């Protein structure tokens, strides 16, 4: 048992390298001048700068939240670099203009961007520190009306769309980190799927933090018009530094009548070493609005990295008959912390939500599920099913469940199930007795535990997720 | 010699249960280990398989001439030792076929033979499942989850059929089985019996031996083998109980 845990715990973080590239950074610190500088670097219209400044002024009045089930040292917001970008051509019309060192970096991360090697049925937006360096299949998608591009470009090219929806799901003063993001966000992806279009390929963004002292504040906005469908995936990694870096993203999803958005994340930011030194503070606000009737938003997340993960991908179920889903695996090891879950806000009639959360805690880690199910007075016949399972590996870790249920309509039906288990010596022995090595046996048991979540992931991501959890399985067939 | 146990003294949590056990097993033989409750039958099975909860105080076990006690349980399994569990364990979310393919391929890898992909393996699995009259729905279900007692035992024999061990130890495989399930399990075991492998049947009752005929019967009492004989011994035990042996010993 102990040996397998050591192997799992000491698994090398293979994405911990730093790309040696000339980077343009702005001086550390945050004030109105910083924001003007970021806005200018991005060649933004006036309204965007106003949006940022308004958010900044709100942020100044807000307090860093401390209600999470963990502690961390005070963050000095003046000691962070708010913009870092690889030097070189500001605009890239084709991949030939992208620095080969960057292409190599993404290839090393398993994300080939060059025409010959790119993934056949997945369009990729690659974000490096504060900027998007390449987006594949952009033109092909444009032909059917799907817009997939860095949000910094969308602000210039589709200002009306961005202006209408940006901040409409997560208002600039929603919370401390959302306000900070609204003030300083650098890049991220923008997706627009027009009426009746089913996006023929999966869209994917890969976020890479490279610079030691910069924060990453990405902003993603996805809009699915009436009857549209899109599946979007994001992946994240960062080099191994002994300082903590802040990652404060905001993601907003909007689904109109009969539209569906499926959003999957495999988060593998650097988690710090076994003593908890270094690693990413992953403080993220993700929220989707099912604005239209019969719309559906589904979040699937596999959180394995970061020193601290603090995120609650939520769905506002506004449209009648709309559906919200949240499938989550959070694995914490060593001294990692995860305080994650979801919020399902039922407003419309016959709205339904499903929450399946699998928390796995090993080492000295602290793994919490925190979720809110809120049924508002007009949400007739709302339904929620919540299942929270925790698995403990070893006896030094903690798993907690904090469910909040608020029901204001008595036609609602809300179910909550929770279990806590341990990998037993008997299970391990059984698998070992069949010739399976101990560490593989641990992985197999964990994989089985997470099955309901993994099957929601796109194939490639499911495979990647299994590997991330230390699996050696050849495929998920069986 | 396939298995040679010399002066084995072993137990759990510091308590000695086996108190100097000797046993030799050759390829092609079937040995039945019988004895009253608490005599150490299951302890013997678990010590051979390498259960981490059991401790060996003295003695040695040689398997194909190698020191078995130095090997991890998974190594022992890959070297051809199989134990059918008295209480098979549930592994939620892991399908029977996935589990068996991983186990099978681990063994193939160990032997330097070619591993099978899921499609090839499924063909093999379906063939083996016939031996214990298991349908394909069993293969898709999570390992032992929601299986009845009889289904779990049949699943153990299916695993044995897939892994083709050189030494199979069946730990009270007959316990809790109705007569139909017992017949299916016994048929499965008999069809796997060959000159190349050996089977140790750990059982409390003679009943199983009507179906699987042993070459040798050993009676275990208070941590030692107190009497050995052929299948006639088992019949005598059935008739007279264990007490006469204890007295004789």
């Amino acid at each position: 048992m102990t040996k397998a845990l050591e192997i799992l715990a000491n698994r090398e973080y293979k994405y911990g390298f730093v790309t040696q590239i000339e980077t343009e950074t702005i001086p550390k610190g945050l004030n109105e001048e910083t924001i003007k500088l970021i806005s200018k670097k991005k060649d933004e219209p006036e309204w965007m700068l106003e949006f940022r400044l308004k958010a900044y002024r709100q942020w100044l009045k807000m307090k860093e939240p401390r209600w999470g089930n963990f502690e961390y040292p005070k963050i000095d917001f003046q000691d962070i670099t708010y913009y870092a970008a690889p030097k070189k051509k500001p605009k890239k019309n084709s991949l030939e203009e992208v620095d080969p060192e960057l292409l190599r970096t993404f290839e090393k991360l398993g994300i080939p961007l060059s025409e010959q090697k790119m993934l056949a049925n997945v369009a990729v937006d690659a974000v490096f520190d504060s900027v998007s360096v390449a987006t594949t299949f952009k033109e092909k998608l444009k032909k059917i009306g799907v817009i997939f591009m860095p949000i910094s470009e969308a602000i210039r090219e589709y200002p009306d769309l961005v202006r209408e929806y940006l901040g409409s799901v997560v208002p600039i003063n929603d919370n401390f980190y959302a306000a900070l993001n609204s003030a300083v966000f650098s890049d991220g992806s923008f997706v627009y799927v027009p009426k009746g279009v089913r996006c023929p390929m999966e869209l994917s963004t890969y976020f890479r933090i490279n610079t030691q002292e910069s924060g990453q504040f990405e902003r993603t906005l996805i809009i699915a018009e009436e009857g549209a469908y899109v599946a979007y995936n994001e992946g994240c990694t960062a080099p191994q530094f002994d300082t903590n870096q802040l990652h404060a993203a905001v993601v907003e999803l909007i689904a109109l009548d009969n539209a569906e958005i499926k959003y999957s994340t495999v988060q593998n930011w650097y988690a710090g070493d076994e003593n908890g030194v270094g690693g990413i503070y992953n403080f993220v606000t993700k929220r989707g609005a099912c604005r239209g009737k019969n719309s559906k938003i589904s979040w699937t997340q596999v959180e394995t990295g970061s020193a601290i993960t603090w995120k609650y991908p939520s769905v506002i179920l506004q449209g009648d008959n709309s559906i919200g889903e949240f499938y989550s695996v959070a694995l914490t090891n060593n001294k990692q912390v995860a305080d994650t879950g979801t919020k399902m806000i039922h407003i419309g009639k016959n709205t339904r939500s499903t929450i399946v959360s699998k928390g796995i805690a090993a080492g000295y880690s602290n793994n919490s599920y925190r979720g809110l199910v809120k049924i508002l007075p007009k949400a007739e016949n709302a339904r929620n099913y919540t299942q929270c399972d925790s698995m403990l590996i070893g006896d030094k870790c903690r798993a907690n469940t904090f469910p909040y249920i608020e029901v204001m309509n008595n036609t609602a039906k809300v179910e909550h199930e929770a279990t806590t288990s341990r990998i037993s010596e008997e299970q391990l022995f059984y698998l070992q007795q069949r010739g399976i090595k101990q560490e593989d046996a641990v992985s197999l048991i964990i994989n089985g535990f997470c099955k309901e979540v993994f099957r929601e992931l796109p194939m490639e991501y499911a495979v990647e997720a299994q590997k991330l959890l230390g699996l050696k399985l050849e495929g998920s067939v069986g | 010699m396939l298995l040679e146990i010399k002066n084995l003294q072993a137990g759990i949590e510091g308590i000695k249960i086996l108190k100097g056990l000797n046993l030799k097993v050759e390829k092609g033989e079937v040995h039945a280990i019988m004895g009253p409750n608490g005599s150490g039958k299951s302890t013997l099975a678990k010590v051979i398989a390498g259960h981490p909860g059991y401790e060996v105080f003295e003695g040695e076990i040689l398997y194909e001439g190698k020191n078995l006690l130095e090997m991890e349980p998974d190594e022992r399994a890959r070297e051809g030792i199989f134990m059918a569990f008295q209480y098979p364990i549930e592994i939620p979310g892991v399908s029977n076929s996935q589990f068996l393919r991983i186990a099978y391929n681990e063994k193939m890898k160990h032997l330097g033979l070619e591993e099978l992909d899921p499609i090839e393996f499924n063909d093999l699995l379906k063939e083996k499942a016939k031996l214990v009259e298991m349908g394909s729905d069993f293969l898709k279900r999570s390992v032992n989850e929601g299986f009845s007692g009889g289904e779990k035992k049949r699943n153990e024999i299916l695993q044995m059929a897939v892994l083709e061990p050189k030494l199979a130890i069946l730990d009270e495989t007959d316990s809790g089985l109705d007569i139909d399930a017992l017949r299916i399990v016994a048929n499965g075991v008999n069809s796997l019996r060959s000159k190349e492998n050996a089977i140790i049947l750990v059982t409390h009752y003679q009943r199983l031996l009507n179906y699987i005929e042993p070459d040798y019967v050993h009676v275990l009492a208070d941590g030692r083998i107190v009497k050995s004989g052929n299948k006639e011994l088992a019949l005598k035990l059935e008739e007279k109980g264990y007490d006469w042996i204890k007295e004789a010993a």
Side-chain angles (χ1 to χ4, degrees), chain B residues 114-125:
Chain B
E114 207 176 319
E115 298 176 42
L116 294 186
D117 67 32
I119 296 166
E120 294 167 325
F121 183 73
N122 269 352
D123 290 343
L124 175 121
L125 190 55

Side-chain angles (χ1 to χ4, degrees), chain A residues 404-418:
Chain A
Y404 305 83
I405 299 170
E406 295 173 27
V407 178
M408 288 170 243
N409 181 314
N410 57 18
T411 62
K413 201 172 155 190
V414 177
E415 288 174 77
H416 182 96
E417 285 178 26

Side-chain angles (χ1 to χ4, degrees), chain A residues 3 425-427 429-438 440 444-445 447-449 451 473-475 477-478, chain B residues 50-51 74 77-78 81-83 85 89-90 92-95 97-99 101-103 106 144 156 159:
Chain A
K3 206 176 81 189
E425 196 175 59
E426 292 304 320
Q427 276 181 323
F429 176 61
Y430 190 64
L431 295 177
Q432 278 187 277
Q433 212 302 305
R434 301 305 185 241
I436 299 169
K437 294 185 188 84
Q438 199 177 44
D440 295 338
L444 191 62
I445 293 166
N447 178 33
F449 176 70
K451 192 179 185 179
L473 306 175
E474 292 99 25
V477 188
Chain B
H51 191 293
D74 49 302
R78 290 192 297 273
I81 291 179
F82 178 91
M83 178 172 111
F85 282 53
I89 310 294
E90 299 182 359
V94 178
S95 76
S97 61
Q98 181 190 11
F99 160 59
R101 185 169 62 87
I102 293 165
E106 280 295 338
N144 293 324
E156 294 294 290
Q159 295 175 35

Side-chain angles (χ1 to χ4, degrees), chain B residues 109-163:
Chain B
K109 220 182 322 182
H110 181 70
L111 297 176
L113 298 171
E114 207 176 319
E115 298 176 42
L116 294 186
D117 67 32
I119 296 166
E120 294 167 325
F121 183 73
N122 269 352
D123 290 343
L124 175 121
L125 190 55
K126 268 188 215 156
E127 219 30 61
K128 300 283 185 186
K130 283 181 194 161
L131 276 182
V132 285
E133 302 179 26
M134 275 169 90
S136 52
D137 54 318
F138 273 100
L139 308 175
K140 288 180 203 144
R141 279 161 60 184
S142 293
V143 179
N144 293 324
E145 203 184 27
F147 282 31
S148 72
E151 287 167 350
K152 282 183 181 172
K153 296 295 173 77
R154 273 151 69 190
N155 202 20
E156 294 294 290
I157 305 306
L158 171 65
Q159 295 175 35
M160 176 179 161
V162 169
L163 297 172

